[in-house]
Structure formats: structure tokens, C-alpha cells
Amino acid sequence: MKQFLDENFLLQSKTAQTLYHEYAKSMPIIDYHNHLPPDQIANDINFANLTQVWLYGDHYKWRAMRTNGINEKYCTGNASDAEKFEQWAATVPYTLRNPLYHWTHLELQRYFGIHKILNADTAKEIYEEATAKLQTKEYSVRGLLTKMNVKTLCTTDDPIDTLEHHQKIAKDNCPVKVLPAFRPDKAMNVDDVATFNAYVNKVEAAANVSVGSYSDYLKALKNRHDYFAANGACVSDHGLEQIYAEDYTEAEISNIFNKIRGGKELDLSENLKFKSAMLVEFAKWDHEKGWVQQYHLGALRNNNARMLSLLGPDTGWDSIGDFPQARALAKFMNKLDSTDQLAKTILYNLNPADNDLMATMIGNYNDGSMAGKVQFGSGWWFLDQKDGMTKQLNALSNMGLLSRFIGMLTDSRSFLSYPRHEYFRRILCNMLGEEIENGELPNDIAWTGKVVEDICFNNAKAYFGF
Ligand SMILES: [Zn+2]
């Protein structure tokens, strides 16, 4: 019997072990999309205890705890940090076969050198040991990133953000390059006109551009896009149910914008036209600046109205949606491609049923201008586990070029999530190792090892220009 989570975790053959230990393991990390709070990096904080760095904001863990019958008081409520940790620890044994079980123990090992199994009995000693370590310089936020060999990371920022924290980080000679990413979801979401108008006022103030018309609004947003670029950004990101690609004229969008500013609700057609127009504008700016644009497609969000009203968004009430993706996505990318304004693009889907669709869609716009211009992003959110990653890697291999893949990202809110890169690398190496041993791939370790290193780091470095 193999040891649980030993050095050859997930590596089922000698060749897989060679590929991982000799090629993948030491490659640095480029985490090109995550939700880490830049203020915590700017101030290089130390977390007060293990609960604060590990459980705060982690809706994966909260969902598991709730499913295990744990009261909300111990997830997002007013229980003490020690009590919350106790309840999480008691839940961990019940998470077996959920990726949380592997992530939890990988994270305890890699950050804290703790090789015990977390459960109700070990909770107290693990909490105390990790919390004591978290007080030291080595475990400050920058220390945690350095420990995981993170070279560059991109946070997710609203166009109205001042980016003051990024500016401080850039001035500080931080060992990790921390870049902002432009995420204009609120700038195009006209589902609620009052909320949108309040947001337009903020854009107006942030850009210092008076907004009396649609063209002023674009000017103000473009000003923010320029500001992000001036602060090192080279990546945008969108979280959408699906791409919107309705036909529209500039005159129509101007009228729709005036209607919104007059406080009138839009009908469905107007709503979709407006979103379609905004997506095209953002994409053109991304192309102009040579940025990478990312689209996270297919989440059905905020499905529990009662809990949403109590706790707000991003607290664990989202799931996989079944939105049609292909036609609008193709129409949108074709529109940009037809005027040669399609930026480097990464597509992420949340519904695994769309894997093959995405893997073939990217091929439509990979025009030979560079390797891997349009990418099928790695398994995301509910899919960033062994089965989801394997399926994504298989779809990409079968219908595209795995060797040109830019690899893994954490998409996480926690500084303790970096072993997810290791998890991904092990799965990748296991897959390749098995096929070499089966005779499905040649026994060319040097070449396959190079491909592994490329997927772990080199491809992303070249793609983003870091
Ligand atoms: Zn994200």
C-alpha cells in the first residue's frame, strides 16, 4: 500500500515520478489570475491565526461545512476563530474524495511542514503550531508567496480602483511581481439601472472625465484602461454567464445609454445590445495594448436569495450553469478577428459539458501569428480538481496542442492555495508518464520534460511577456 500524500502522490509510474521531480517540481509559478487582496501584499501582513489565512473568504470550505451540518455561525458568523477552526477540522474527515481533502493536507505539508491528518483530535495542536509559525517573518504574505516560488501574479481589480496598493508593492522591490488586472464586469452590467448609474458616477470621478453621453463613458473607461496599463497591467478578465454578441449600431447604444442615465429600465434586447457593445470596446482596447483577455464563462451565481441577502455575493451560493456558449462566442471572436483586432484570449468554461466545444473553438482563431494565441484555460472553480483537470487536459490534447498550453492558475482568494499548481503538475506528469510507459508516447524524457516545463512556466512567461 502506498503512503497517503507522500512525495509520489498522484504519480503512478516511475516515468511520471521522473517528469515531476526532475522537470515540474522546481519550475517557478506564474499565477496569472487570482483574487488575492493587494492591500495585504502591500502591507506584507502576518495573519493572526490559521483561521484568518485559511477559512476567511473561502467559500469552498464554507460549502463543505454547511453540507456537513455546521451552523453558519462557524462559517461566516461570529464564532471565535478557534471555534471556527475546530468546526472545520471536524469537517475535514467528511470531505474525503473532495479536492478539499487533498488541498488541505498538501497546504499543511507545504507551508507548515505538518504531516498529520487534520481532524477533531489533531485540530488544537495543528492550529497552535501553524498559528505560531504565522507570526514569524517567514510567514508574512510575501514570505508565503516566496516559499511557493511565485514569480508573478495578477490580481483582479475594478476599473475604478486607485491601484494604490499595487503602486506601493512596485515601489517596495517586492520579490514577487504583483500586477493588477482589469475586470470591468460592473461597467457593463445594466441588469439593475440604479446600480449601474451609481457605478457610472464612480467611473466619472475616477477618470476625471465628465460623462454626459455614451462616447464620454467610453472615454472615461478607456482612461481607466490606460491607467491600469500605466500601472503594469497587461491582462483583463470578465466573469460572464455567456458572451453577448448581438448586432447593434453606435446610435442604438447611445440611445440605450441615455435611457439608462434617465433612470429607465431596459428591455431584454436593449440590455443584450449594450453588453455586446461594451464587450467589443473592451476587447479592442486589449488588442491595442497587446494585453491578454480572459473570459470566465458559465457560472450561475447567487442562487440562494435568502443567503445572498444575509451574506452577499461570493459566499458559496453559486453553481455550474447550462448557458449556450458556442454561437455567440464564435460571433464575438469572429467580429474582432475580421478586423484583426482579436487580442490574445483565454477561454474558461465552468460546465464540463462545454470542454470539447471550447477546445475546438480556440482552433478557429489560432491563426499562426503566434503559438497558442487563443487558449482553453485550465479547469476552473468546481473543475479545478483531479477529474476536472484531467478532462480539460484530455480535451485540449485531443483537439488542440497541449504542448502550447499556458497551464495552471489558482483563481483563489487565499495565500495558502498555491499547492494547487503542484496538484496540477502532478496530474499532468502522471498522464504523460503513463502514456510513455504504455508505449503511446516515445520514451523521450528530455523532450517530454521540456513540454512539462513549458506548461508549468515557460509558455505562460512567453504568452504574457513577463
Ligand atoms: Zn477568478
Side-chain angles (χ1 to χ4, degrees), residues 33-35 156 183 237 296 380 411:
H33 172 72
N34 62 53
H35 297 266
T156 301
R183 168 107 163 202
D237 182 47
H296 285 86
W380 164 49
D411 204 344

Side-chain angles (χ1 to χ4, degrees), residues 34-72:
N34 62 53
H35 297 266
L36 293 175
D39 60 319
Q40 295 181 346
I41 308 174
N43 297 316
D44 196 21
I45 67 156
N46 279 79
F47 288 91
N49 57 52
L50 185 53
T51 297
Q52 294 194 9
V53 66
W54 219 21
L55 271 67
Y56 279 31
D58 189 340
H59 49 74
Y60 289 75
K61 291 193 181 76
W62 297 340
R63 269 172 93 107
M65 290 167 78
R66 292 165 186 148
T67 305
N68 200 37
I70 305 293
N71 190 279
E72 195 59 36

Side-chain angles (χ1 to χ4, degrees), residues 111-329:
Y111 289 96
F112 302 102
I114 294 173
H115 289 255
K116 295 191 182 84
I117 299 295
L118 180 58
N119 56 40
D121 295 335
T122 57
K124 193 159 187 288
E125 53 180 317
I126 288 176
Y127 187 73
E128 284 172 1
E129 184 178 343
T131 295
K133 286 183 171 160
L134 284 167
Q135 310 314 307
T136 62
K137 186 71 200 148
E138 192 190 337
Y139 285 81
S140 73
V141 157
R142 293 183 191 180
L144 293 171
L145 293 169
T146 308
K147 195 186 273 295
M148 289 299 116
N149 203 9
V150 181
K151 283 280 172 280
T152 304
L153 67 86
C154 299
T155 59
T156 301
D157 308 275
D158 194 281
I160 59 174
D161 196 287
T162 60
L163 305 182
E164 60 192 297
H165 303 301
H166 290 88
Q167 289 163 350
K168 179 171 188 307
I169 297 164
K171 260 193 238 133
D172 276 0
N173 281 325
C174 178
V176 182
K177 197 184 227 184
V178 177
L179 303 174
F182 190 78
R183 168 107 163 202
D185 292 358
K186 289 181 187 159
M188 58 176 276
N189 187 350
V190 286
D191 293 348
D192 183 283
V193 161
T195 305
F196 180 75
N197 274 325
Y199 184 80
V200 173
N201 297 341
K202 288 183 192 163
V203 173
E204 193 171 26
N208 200 16
V209 169
S210 157
V211 175
S213 66
Y214 175 58
S215 65
D216 293 340
Y217 183 52
L218 290 184
K219 196 169 140 200
L221 280 173
K222 176 81 184 306
N223 173 309
R224 299 308 296 166
H225 197 270
D226 295 343
Y227 180 77
F228 270 59
N231 283 280
C234 56
V235 173
S236 72
D237 182 47
H238 303 265
L240 301 168
E241 292 180 343
Q242 58 199 133
I243 289 289
Y244 306 103
E246 299 298 312
D247 293 320
Y248 60 86
T249 64
E250 291 304 312
E252 279 178 317
I253 305 302
S254 286
N255 289 337
I256 292 169
F257 187 79
N258 292 339
K259 188 171 172 183
I260 296 166
R261 295 303 276 165
K264 293 196 192 76
E265 293 295 331
L266 304 180
D267 65 33
L268 181 62
S269 157
E270 292 166 330
N271 177 309
L272 297 178
K273 277 176 193 268
F274 189 81
K275 289 175 179 167
S276 302
M278 295 305 300
L279 277 181
V280 169
E281 296 301 327
F282 296 139
K284 286 180 178 171
W285 302 339
D286 290 343
H287 177 264
E288 234 170 62
K289 294 193 178 78
W291 284 18
V292 173
Q293 54 191 3
Q294 304 175 94
Y295 298 92
H296 285 86
L297 303 172
L300 185 66
R301 292 177 193 265
N302 304 326
N303 303 299
N304 185 323
R306 177 170 62 86
M307 297 311 288
L308 178 68
S309 72
L310 281 172
L311 305 177
D314 302 323
T315 53
W317 315 101
D318 312 312
S319 59
I320 292 173
D322 57 355
F323 308 98
Q325 300 291 352
R327 193 174 289 276
L329 187 50

Side-chain angles (χ1 to χ4, degrees), residues 349-418:
N349 63 297
L350 197 53
N351 189 332
D354 294 330
N355 279 352
D356 294 355
L357 180 165
M358 295 290 167
T360 53
M361 181 66 69
I362 62 172
N364 297 330
Y365 307 100
N366 269 320
D367 58 2
S369 57
M370 60 173 284
K373 175 180 171 181
V374 185
Q375 292 272 334
F376 173 22
S378 79
W380 164 49
W381 198 346
F382 297 109
L383 307 183
D384 59 356
Q385 23 76 6
K386 188 176 153 193
D387 181 55
M389 288 179 189
T390 302
K391 284 176 173 158
Q392 187 271 351
L393 290 168
N394 279 330
L396 180 58
S397 302
N398 288 330
M399 294 166 217
L401 293 185
L402 175 68
S403 52
R404 292 302 189 175
F405 181 34
I406 54 168
M408 185 58 183
L409 60 154
T410 62
D411 204 344
S412 175
R413 288 155 213 280
S414 165
F415 291 96
L416 296 190
S417 292
Y418 280 91

